[in-house]
Amino acid sequence: MFYFLSKTLHILIDTAFMHSLALLLLFILMLARRTRKFALSGLIVVTGGSLLITVIPVGSILLHTLETRFEKPDLAQANFAGAITLGGSINPYSYLEHGEMHVDASPDRLFAMLRFASLYPDKPILFTGGYGGLVSRGFSEASVLESWLSDSGMETPNMHFEPNARNTHENALKSRELIYRDWPHLAHKPWILITSASHMPRAVGAFRQAGMNVIAYPVDKITKDGVHLASLNVSDAIKKMGRALREWVGLTAYYWTGRTDAWFPGPHKAGAEK
């Protein structure tokens, strides 16, 4: 039930989709004389709201708060058992339609995974990710990536793939299950966790709640340190607002349902992570 509700809510807070839908409905209402006045008022509200979140970059501010929650660790000083990379980079629809792997989001996750696999050949490098849609369509991100890396000659012996996790909560549970099965002697040691910086707080909270000791390695930062007002990039502002809302709503939902150890997980205090 949680999975179904979370995916439904994800659609409702997708600001780009809802913005386009609102404009379409208002345009249709403009065609009828009886609803033309209401539609005109609605267009003014939607346009004004779009301009407001563009001039005052609310989405960027919310995203920046997420992205700066964790800093990249000094790997030379980090004693870790292996690395876990979360899926979310490969477009499932492109693969199902054309049979080709297409990376359209968060490519830095995959780059970081390849880097870790090369730099630390003696450590297990795990990729976890299945299909996050409501209805299974025979797609698994981990399986597609594994096949592509193998065909490209880029797969290394220390790469391992978990193909069934549908969301962050399942990423944590299934990664833990795999680690306890294949590397029980490493289960209680710290693992590097690789995902987008904006997604890192929720990911860290979910893995901690699952009993994993993780060291955050955030990638894919898209915001800047300074707040820039009066931007004219409306589409970018709407996109960032949607991304930020997804994470903040996700954090709240995970916290209410016991899927994270804190509402806004952050770095442990000095000496807390061993």
Side-chain angles (χ1 to χ4, degrees), residues 22-46:
L23 289 178
L24 176 62
L25 292 176
L26 290 171
F27 175 76
I28 293 173
L29 291 175
M30 283 282 290
L31 301 178
R33 180 172 300 178
R34 290 192 303 174
T35 56
R36 190 168 297 166
K37 185 175 181 180
F38 170 79
L40 182 60
S41 300
L43 284 172
I44 294 173
V45 171
V46 171

Side-chain angles (χ1 to χ4, degrees), residues 33-215:
R33 180 172 300 178
R34 290 192 303 174
T35 56
R36 190 168 297 166
K37 185 175 181 180
F38 170 79
L40 182 60
S41 300
L43 284 172
I44 294 173
V45 171
V46 171
T47 302
S50 301
L51 292 175
L52 182 62
I53 66 171
T54 302
V55 176
I56 304 175
V58 181
S60 293
I61 294 171
L62 292 174
L63 265 184
H64 187 69
T65 303
L66 292 164
E67 291 188 339
T68 55
R69 187 62 166 168
F70 291 90
E71 297 294 333
K72 273 187 180 177
D74 181 0
L75 295 179
Q77 305 297 322
N79 180 21
F80 59 95
I84 303 169
T85 303
L86 302 194
S89 301
I90 300 173
N91 187 316
Y93 309 107
S94 178
Y95 179 81
L96 291 169
E97 184 70 22
H98 305 290
E100 297 179 353
M101 192 182 85
H102 174 62
V103 178
D104 68 347
S106 308
D108 290 356
R109 300 186 191 186
L110 302 184
F111 296 150
M113 173 192 169
L114 293 173
R115 181 170 181 266
F116 271 83
S118 177
L119 291 177
Y120 306 99
D122 59 329
K123 297 180 183 293
I125 308 299
L126 174 62
F127 181 92
T128 169
Y131 176 61
L134 283 173
V135 180
S136 176
R137 300 184 61 185
F139 171 87
S140 168
E141 186 172 359
S143 298
V144 170
L145 178 61
E146 181 180 15
S147 178
W148 184 85
L149 289 171
S150 177
D151 292 343
S152 304
M154 299 172 64
E155 185 178 7
T156 58
N158 61 333
M159 289 182 182
H160 305 271
F161 300 86
E162 185 290 303
N164 299 313
R166 300 175 298 172
N167 55 26
T168 308
H169 173 62
E170 293 186 5
N171 286 143
L173 294 181
K174 294 185 181 298
S175 295
R176 180 180 183 274
E177 179 182 336
L178 183 61
I179 289 169
Y180 268 87
R181 186 192 71 190
D182 293 349
W183 310 283
H185 60 292
L186 301 177
H188 296 288
K189 294 185 178 181
W191 285 71
I192 297 291
L193 182 61
I194 303 169
T195 191
S196 300
S198 61
H199 182 55
M200 188 59 77
R202 182 153 57 107
V204 166
F207 273 79
R208 286 177 181 169
Q209 189 72 347
M212 293 285 296
N213 184 1
V214 292
I215 300 173

Side-chain angles (χ1 to χ4, degrees), residues 211-228:
M212 293 285 296
N213 184 1
V214 292
I215 300 173
Y217 190 87
V219 296
D220 191 34
K221 289 187 178 181
I222 62 173
T223 62
K224 300 178 181 180
D225 289 336
V227 176
H228 302 280

